[in-house]
Amino acid sequence: MSLVVMKFGGTSVEDAAAIGRTAAIVKGRIALGKSPVVVVSAMAKVTDQLLRTAAAAAQGDRTGALAVSSRLRARHRDTAAELVKKHDDCAVLVDLVDRKFDALDEILRGLSAILELTPRISDLIVSHGERISSLIVAAAFHDKGIDAAHVDAREVIITDSEFQKAAPLDDFIEKRAREKLIPLVQQCKVPVMGGFIGSNEAGITTTLGRGGSDYTGALVGSALNAEAIEIWTDVDGIMTTDPRICPDALRVKVISFEEAAELAYFGAKVLHPATILPAVKKNIPVLVLNSRNAMNEGTRITSLAPHCKSPFKSIAVKKKLSIIDVVASRMLMSHGYLCQIFAIFDKHKCVVDMVSTSEVSVSLTVDSNASLPDIAADLSKLADVKYEGKKALICLVGEDIRGKNGMAAQVFNAVRHINVRMISQGASEINMSFMIEEDDADEAVRSLHAAFFQDPDPSIFDVEARNAVHSS
Ligand code: ASP
Ligand code: MG
């Protein structure tokens, strides 16, 4: 049985046309003799809208909350009706969708009376996105000749009770996957389930955290020992840099898990690699693929990086950052000082990206955010503080910088015309990052890309695509 888990993100199920493409992709895998298990996100933007209705209801805006729900109902009903051509099947599906929205409206009405949105209720509300999208996708597959079977993900993905960020309980999931999914696959059926949602041992609905459908894909793939996990999105995979900044950017054919993780932390939004850890632990390859361009090979993420002749795989850039300089001569030789500084960031729930210290000063970079003045006020009780916005972080990632001489010289030579404010290597041996003015960021990326991807290794990068563009 060559089992593949195919996870389709919100844009791959955003409307009837997208779901049609998704069905064709799944059919293609079946034609190749594969046994797919399908995991879907909510239709694009639905999770955000559900969170908005929940917030409105919790503020007593019953009418506003029900109005958003009613628009969502219409969108799902219309999509269902467009996809399922057989009259009776369509009526059954639309009725199912209606019943789910009736239940959601009941919760919203209750919430607008109680006026308290707990994490548990929030999970119950947002779970409707995946619960309904998976029903529609399963029915659409059926209509298009795929023997699909809808599975309620909450019966498979068993988690702890940390609502909104529940941790999966692997042993339970393995057992449930064997009980609920394997028999379907053995009958040549295609299980279709929602990502992101689960339930605790008592059966109460939980979620794995935003973007959690990739996590579901990896959990299911690992529980079933799948031969591959495919993450279908709307981009061709991981690129050498942002193609909007640098049109010469190339698709990276293969990248290690560690490299992909570094890129994700620095803003490459393709997927959050922490979520594919279960697959990496079992050595199951993860492929990032484009449902709008299904013929493209995408990016393969593997536990070990194949050898690459180019030192870097990708250049990430993160903008809208601020730099905070904390200077205190008192810091000299004192312990516990960094701890006090970080406690302040923790108190304000502010994520720190990069840190650089000297004997008397600490510089930190954070996303520019509204709490910066308050953070600075707290820090100024300990030391002198300055902060400045409009900064960008450039991060070069590659396994092959480990142990290579002269890399820093080459990097900073490529951006010698640009003022560098802060530098970090060290922490992970596979990234080199530095901070510059935001206005210089695009130019820096282009200069670095020109310097390091002049003669890219064709076994790692999709050089053919670039050549095709240049010769046409
Ligand atoms: N629908 C969820 C979200 O938007 C999960 C996902 O799409 O991965 O966060
Ligand atoms: Mg997503």
Side-chain angles (χ1 to χ4, degrees), residues 122-144:
S122 173
D123 275 358
L124 180 61
I125 291 173
V126 287
S127 73
H128 284 77
E130 270 74 8
R131 281 156 67 189
I132 301 170
S133 69
S134 57
L135 277 174
I136 295 176
V137 170
F141 279 13
H142 189 76
D143 193 78
K144 292 178 194 329

Side-chain angles (χ1 to χ4, degrees), residues 7 9-10 41-42 47-48 130 195-196 209-214:
K7 179 261 165 175
S41 287
T47 306
D48 289 333
E130 270 74 8
F196 173 57
R210 290 308 304 272
S213 294
D214 294 339

Side-chain angles (χ1 to χ4, degrees), residues 257-278:
F257 169 75
E258 249 189 292
E259 291 168 330
E262 288 287 346
L263 286 172
Y265 293 132
F266 284 89
K269 287 274 153 31
V270 179
L271 88 173
H272 200 302
T275 63
I276 61 166
L277 204 61

Side-chain angles (χ1 to χ4, degrees), residues 62-84:
R62 185 171 179 268
T63 320
L66 290 173
V68 178
S69 165
S70 148
R71 281 198 293 278
L72 283 172
R73 184 193 292 250
R75 177 175 170 200
H76 285 85
R77 272 176 131 247
D78 291 351
T79 308
E82 205 178 325
L83 281 163
V84 179

